[in-house]
Amino acid sequence: MKTGRFDGEQAEYRQGNFGFAHEWLQEFKTLDEVLERLSVLRAADPAHRYLCTLDDVSQCSYTSGHASQDERLYLDSPDDMDWDDPAQEQALTLASLQHRVAQLQRPELVQDWAQVCGTLLLAAEDVNALLQANRSPEALLDEVVYVQRLPVPSDELMIAGQPNGYFSADWDSFQNHAVICHLAAQYGYRFFGMGAAWMGFVRASLPDAVLVDRLIEDLRMLYGQGQGEVREHAGWAQLASVLLSRPTLMLGYAENLAEGLGLDQPPYDSAMKS
């Protein structure tokens, strides 16, 4: 696997809207390689937390930039801001992160799992996308993965460094944060990755059957409350089998998940039915 830093004008990649971009990864073959690199970074630097990108880095940067402008998250720049002064820009970047961390924890803004259930409009084929993304999570990784080095107090608050959920049909940053917190508290899944449409979670060990059964019931309500075709889809049972064999969990937070993975094409549909 190839790695590099975001250092100066000669850097191979631009930071985009990833204000705490630390390094990029390339030429990996599996998600496990990316997770191993994150583990190495975490072990060497326990004072910070490391969040990686997933699907479509360019789109993720674009939507994250807009999501950061949510009035609940946005911090105005000082009236006397000198945009030609790198030190002032760096200070504003840090202050904006700290503001988003605080806002995500304000009691009047916090959402819970129950409030998020049923708020993402999915179709039956999107359950197939959830299944495929967990069977082959490498399909969600772009050719380059950005890793951010974030001075935040918990893994759940890493989303403050990369808020997303810009489009009206997506879960917004507060809804995504509710999902992240619930999965950590109830199932031991730690948030590690944020893409343009997907979030990534990992456990320290494989889940057992009792935990997976409970998780699947939660996910059926998360995505299928009020949407019977989604809630009763046969793919949930297959997803349970997949989760028993991997410590990771990949969840979409945007519409048209199947389209994003190319699973809305007739050959895939017929293959799933045969």
Side-chain angles (χ1 to χ4, degrees), residues 5 22-23 36-46 50 147:
R5 292 293 184 92
H22 175 68
E23 71 174 32
E36 177 58 30
R37 180 58 186 163
L38 293 177
S39 294
V40 169
L41 291 169
R42 286 164 54 88
D45 181 22
Y50 289 85
V147 178

Side-chain angles (χ1 to χ4, degrees), residues 54-116:
L54 298 172
D55 54 297
D56 201 337
V57 170
S58 295
Q59 178 72 0
C60 185
S61 174
Y62 171 79
T63 52
S64 184
H66 282 286
S68 299
Q69 295 174 356
D70 183 319
E71 64 180 9
R72 297 168 294 177
L73 295 174
Y74 185 70
L75 179 68
D76 287 323
S77 59
D79 292 337
D80 60 349
M81 178 76 182
D82 181 357
W83 293 100
D84 293 323
D85 183 351
Q88 288 192 41
E89 279 201 64
Q90 186 176 14
L92 178 60
T93 298
L94 178 59
S96 295
L97 173 69
Q98 293 170 336
H99 177 71
R100 293 192 295 267
V101 166
Q103 290 295 96
L104 286 167
Q105 298 177 92
R106 282 182 60 181
E108 65 270 30
L109 296 178
V110 169
Q111 295 201 34
D112 61 30
W113 177 271
Q115 289 174 287
V116 182

Side-chain angles (χ1 to χ4, degrees), residues 11-269:
E12 190 167 346
Y13 294 100
R14 295 179 181 272
Q15 283 185 290
N17 288 313
F18 306 111
F20 291 84
H22 175 68
E23 71 174 32
W24 49 263
L25 314 177
Q26 207 170 32
E27 297 179 8
F28 43 79
K29 295 181 179 179
T30 67
L31 176 61
D32 290 341
E33 290 179 72
V34 174
L35 290 172
E36 177 58 30
R37 180 58 186 163
L38 293 177
S39 294
V40 169
L41 291 169
R42 286 164 54 88
D45 181 22
H48 292 86
R49 297 176 189 275
Y50 289 85
L51 177 70
C52 77
T53 58
L54 298 172
D55 54 297
D56 201 337
V57 170
S58 295
Q59 178 72 0
C60 185
S61 174
Y62 171 79
T63 52
S64 184
H66 282 286
S68 299
Q69 295 174 356
D70 183 319
E71 64 180 9
R72 297 168 294 177
L73 295 174
Y74 185 70
L75 179 68
D76 287 323
S77 59
D79 292 337
D80 60 349
M81 178 76 182
D82 181 357
W83 293 100
D84 293 323
D85 183 351
Q88 288 192 41
E89 279 201 64
Q90 186 176 14
L92 178 60
T93 298
L94 178 59
S96 295
L97 173 69
Q98 293 170 336
H99 177 71
R100 293 192 295 267
V101 166
Q103 290 295 96
L104 286 167
Q105 298 177 92
R106 282 182 60 181
E108 65 270 30
L109 296 178
V110 169
Q111 295 201 34
D112 61 30
W113 177 271
Q115 289 174 287
V116 182
C117 286
T119 56
L120 190 66
L121 184 61
L122 296 186
E125 57 264 29
D126 293 316
V127 181
N128 293 334
L130 288 166
L131 177 58
Q132 181 64 19
N134 283 280
R135 277 179 173 163
S136 304
E138 290 75 24
L140 298 183
L141 296 177
D142 208 337
E143 291 183 0
V144 60
V145 166
Y146 282 31
V147 178
Q148 292 205 84
R149 180 176 182 260
L150 296 166
V152 295
S154 70
D155 293 320
E156 293 80 14
L157 286 167
M158 288 196 297
I159 192 174
Q162 197 173 315
N164 226 318
Y166 162 58
F167 297 110
S168 60
D170 301 343
W171 287 332
D172 64 27
S173 297
F174 290 87
Q175 291 170 309
N176 283 331
H177 184 235
V179 172
I180 290 166
C181 290
H182 184 82
L183 292 174
Q186 298 298 318
Y187 300 102
Y189 279 100
R190 179 176 58 79
F191 177 52
F192 76 84
M194 190 82 186
W198 295 83
M199 295 185 285
F201 305 86
V202 63
R203 278 176 49 87
S205 60
L206 291 177
D208 61 31
V210 173
L211 185 143
V212 167
D213 285 347
R214 186 162 55 90
L215 172 61
I216 291 296
E217 286 305 306
D218 252 0
L219 295 179
R220 288 175 67 234
M221 292 307 297
L222 178 66
Y223 288 107
Q225 183 170 290
Q227 303 173 71
E229 187 180 16
V230 172
R231 189 177 64 253
E232 303 304 326
H233 195 282
W236 294 116
Q238 298 174 62
L239 179 59
S241 297
V242 171
L243 296 182
L244 285 170
S245 64
R246 287 194 61 88
T248 53
L249 172 65
M250 316 303 285
L251 296 182
Y253 67 87
E255 64 178 346
N256 299 325
L257 298 177
E259 181 180 347
L261 289 182
L263 304 187
D264 58 334
Q265 302 303 313
Y268 180 84
D269 291 341

